Every structure is written in C-alpha cells, then in structure tokens.
Amino acid sequence: MVENNEMELSEAEAEQYDRQIRLWGLESQKRLRASKVLVIGLSGLGAEIAKNIILSGVKSVCLLDNEKLRETDQYSQFLAPPDKIGENRAEASLLRARALNPMVDVTSEKKAVDDLPDNFFTEFDIVCATGLKQEQLERINNACRDCNKKFLCGDVWGMFGYMFTDLVDHEYSEEIVQHKAVKRGPDDSDKNARETVTITVKRRAIYVPLQNALSADWSKPELRSRLRRGDPSYFVMKILLRFRDEYNRNPDPAKRKADTEIIFKMRNELVKELNLPAGFVSDAILTDVFGIVSGAAAVMGGVIGQEIVKAVSQREPPHNNMFFFNPVKCVGFVELYGQ
C-alpha cells in the first residue's frame, strides 16, 4: 500500500490534476503522487503503459530495457524518435517521456533483468513487466509478493494481448448506488417512492502468483466447463510464452512461414497435453501474432495503465487476475485463474 499521509499537492499539481481529482478524489491522487513505478520493456506496449502512468501523475517512473531500438519498433514505439535507432531503447525514450509530464521524475535503467538483484525491483511500489520469459516474470513476481509489492505483466503479439495482475492482498473503495424508500407526508398518494443514493464501501481482493495462474489444472470440472465458451486466449498466451522461452525471441515477421509451423506444432503439443478439444485453438488466431500492431498496443496499454492507476489509488475494483484481447472476436474479457 502506498503511504500518502504526509503527501500534499502543490498549487501547480492541484491545477494540473484537477480533472483527475474530480474523477477519483484528492486522497487517491495523493496516493498516485507518492507512488514509484517500474516499467520493464520499452516496446510499443511498454511505451503505451509508460505514457498513461506518467500522465496520471505518479511520483516517479523508471524505464528498464537492455534492448537496442530497432527499425521495426517505429511501427508502435512512439517515445523513441527514428534518429535513435541502434541506441538503448529505454534511454532513447527518456526525452519524450519526460516531456509528457515534467512533474514526474522519469529515469532509465539499461541493465538486463537477470543482472539485477531482487531488491532492485522491490524498491518500487508497483512493477509492470513486458517482453520477458516466464521464468523471469515468476522470479520478479515472487520477489514483489515477498515484500507486499504489486506486480503486473502483459504482452502484445500482433493483435493478440494479455495482462496478469497480482496485487497480493488488496484493499480498495468502491462507489455503489442504492435505492432507499422516501418518507412522504400523510397526504402523499405515492407510498412507494424511492430515491437513489451513492455510498462508498470498502472491499478486499486476494490474488495468486503468476505461477499458479499459468499452471491451472485443466482436469478440474470448473475449468473444463470454461471450454464451452469457446475462447482459446489462455492457451494462445501459453503457446507464445513457450515460444519465447524456447527461442529467446518473439515470432518474427521475417520468418513467418517457419515460425508459424513452430507455433502450430506447439499448439498441437499443448492440445494433447491438456486434452483440449480438436480445433479449439484455431489456426486463425495463431497466424496474426507477428510484430506488435500499434492499435493492439494502445488497447492493452490503456487497460494495463488503468489497472495500475486503480491499484495505486485504491479506487474501484481491479481486474482479478487476467485480461485477454482476442483479435478474431475483437473482444476483451477478464478471467480468474489459479485459485
């Protein structure tokens, strides 16, 4: 939980964030203003997340990436200008990121995740990771859980995207509308008059670590019943994470034919492993997972940015614990795994 007891907004900050304060209240904005956020991976998705968090008015944002800016990044990564190709992706994004909101301290780190100790990640109030292998994600998630720090991760492949959230033991407030009877005078003929009132209630949500969500037991009836909905997004995510783990990269548009064959092979292995219905994970959803489409990055970056703001501000119910964007159906939805 972000402490904000001693945090006060300056006149300039109150003016800058006036619309947000009206939306979610002064105390929530103070929590945001006191929070430190780490964004790992400055692809097109990471740039969208960073933009949204910086504009929300947090205390600081650290951009972590050890990759160099490539020409293909220019299709979705708007924070790094074209003349920075070949330079570190986080450092190349600093100037434009800082210009979004001069009141936020934006820094960069160009070391690889594996070269950083666990206590580096736990210095932040919330960590958002993109573009990492499953083992790396689980390591950072577990380090955050041990120190009661919030963790999110997500990715975009082509137009497909996912997000996972672990807020550990999270308390938040939610506004609900109630209908109450209105007392009338003895001469009033409307005896059943009612009025609506809005009240704020405190709630609590318990989360599970990423390793639990990714190792869901699909032999259980409650999970098998989900197959009737016909959406394969969870399995698409697992296939693409497995591809990254084995080949240390994402599916490459320049190797589309060969990589598509590998993805189909991994799909067939997973279907057999989990005893999924034949044809459940269609070819169609797996053929559009190359590169990062800017529109999909904007959608997923908006969702993840919103969830970070909700988690830090402790306003409104956050997603628990996975969000998927299925481009074939053009729909996004939340599902809970691992509990």
Side-chain angles (χ1 to χ4, degrees):
M1 183 181 299
V2 179
E3 298 295 336
N4 69 300
N5 296 334
E6 299 179 2
M7 171 63 66
E8 294 295 336
L9 299 184
S10 66
E11 289 187 13
E13 289 170 333
E15 182 178 356
Q16 170 87 355
Y17 306 125
D18 176 70
R19 184 166 60 178
Q20 295 171 193
I21 293 171
R22 294 172 186 270
L23 178 62
W24 52 58
L26 180 59
E27 289 305 309
S28 293
Q29 188 63 45
K30 285 182 178 181
R31 292 190 186 99
L32 280 167
R33 195 70 186 97
S35 63
K36 297 181 292 183
V37 182
L38 173 65
V39 178
I40 302 174
L42 267 293
S43 63
L45 175 60
E48 288 283 357
I49 295 168
K51 175 201 70 177
N52 293 329
I53 298 309
I54 292 168
L55 291 175
S56 74
V58 297
K59 178 180 181 180
S60 66
V61 174
C62 178
L63 309 176
L64 190 158
D65 199 324
N66 69 316
E67 298 284 340
K68 293 187 182 299
L69 186 69
R70 300 181 295 270
E71 186 175 353
T72 52
D73 288 320
Q74 296 297 297
Y75 297 113
S76 59
Q77 218 283 25
F78 53 84
L79 289 179
D83 61 0
K84 298 291 185 181
I85 290 175
E87 299 183 19
N88 176 268
R89 202 157 54 174
E91 292 185 338
S93 302
L94 269 181
L95 187 62
R96 289 181 177 179
R98 287 171 173 166
L100 291 169
N101 189 346
M103 294 182 181
V104 177
D105 180 22
V106 184
T107 59
S108 66
E109 173 57 66
K110 60 180 183 179
K111 288 184 180 179
V113 162
D114 292 339
D115 295 333
L116 294 165
D118 288 354
N119 60 13
F120 170 83
F121 304 101
T122 56
E123 292 176 359
F124 300 91
D125 298 300
I126 190 162
V127 175
C128 180
T130 70
L132 299 183
K133 296 181 179 180
Q134 182 174 332
E135 183 180 2
Q136 294 171 319
L137 293 171
E138 291 180 358
R139 173 210 160 195
I140 297 171
N141 182 201
N142 292 334
C144 289
R145 283 186 70 86
D146 289 344
C147 295
N148 198 31
K149 298 300 178 74
K150 304 179 188 305
F151 172 84
L152 295 90
C153 64
D155 261 299
V156 169
W157 292 277
M159 291 190 66
F160 172 83
Y162 90 95
M163 176 198 71
F164 168 80
T165 306
D166 178 11
L167 307 184
V168 194
D169 186 348
H170 183 64
E171 295 180 351
Y172 62 95
S173 60
E174 180 180 11
E175 290 187 349
I176 61 173
V177 176
Q178 292 185 338
H179 298 274
K180 291 189 174 182
V182 179
K183 292 184 178 180
R184 301 289 190 178
D187 299 330
D188 198 320
S189 59
D190 188 358
K191 302 299 183 182
N192 298 316
R194 304 179 72 83
E195 65 179 4
T196 59
V197 294
T198 301
I199 64 171
T200 300
V201 295
K202 299 289 185 180
R203 300 194 186 278
R204 180 186 181 194
I206 305 297
Y207 289 74
V208 300
L210 178 64
Q211 61 193 39
N212 288 29
L214 294 181
S215 58
D217 185 357
W218 284 89
S219 66
K220 292 183 177 180
E222 57 267 28
L223 282 182
R224 300 298 296 183
S225 65
R226 294 190 187 183
L227 299 179
R228 292 196 293 269
R229 302 178 192 173
D231 194 287
S233 294
Y234 176 88
F235 308 103
V236 174
M237 171 198 66
K238 286 182 69 71
I239 293 166
L240 293 170
L241 285 174
R242 184 175 295 184
F243 184 100
R244 179 183 292 160
D245 288 347
E246 292 192 16
Y247 293 90
N248 197 32
R249 62 178 177 86
N250 291 324
D252 187 346
K255 304 175 181 178
R256 181 180 292 270
K257 183 177 180 180
D259 283 359
T260 298
E261 291 178 359
I262 294 171
I263 291 169
F264 286 173
K265 182 174 181 290
M266 289 181 170
R267 182 267 314 273
N268 296 338
E269 292 171 348
L270 186 67
V271 166
K272 183 177 180 180
E273 175 187 328
L274 299 179
N275 193 28
L276 301 177
F280 187 75
V281 185
S282 69
D283 291 356
I285 197 169
L286 292 174
T287 53
D288 193 16
V289 293
F290 293 85
I292 297 178
V293 176
S294 59
V299 170
M300 291 304 304
V303 172
I304 295 174
Q306 181 185 45
E307 291 308 300
I308 293 174
V309 169
K310 288 196 292 185
V312 173
S313 66
Q314 297 176 251
R315 288 279 294 184
E316 303 305 322
H319 293 336
N320 190 358
N321 54 4
M322 284 191 155
F323 174 88
F324 297 100
F325 180 72
N326 182 326
V328 174
K329 298 181 178 180
C330 199
V331 65
F333 59 95
V334 179
E335 285 196 322
L336 176 62
Y337 288 97
Q339 283 189 341

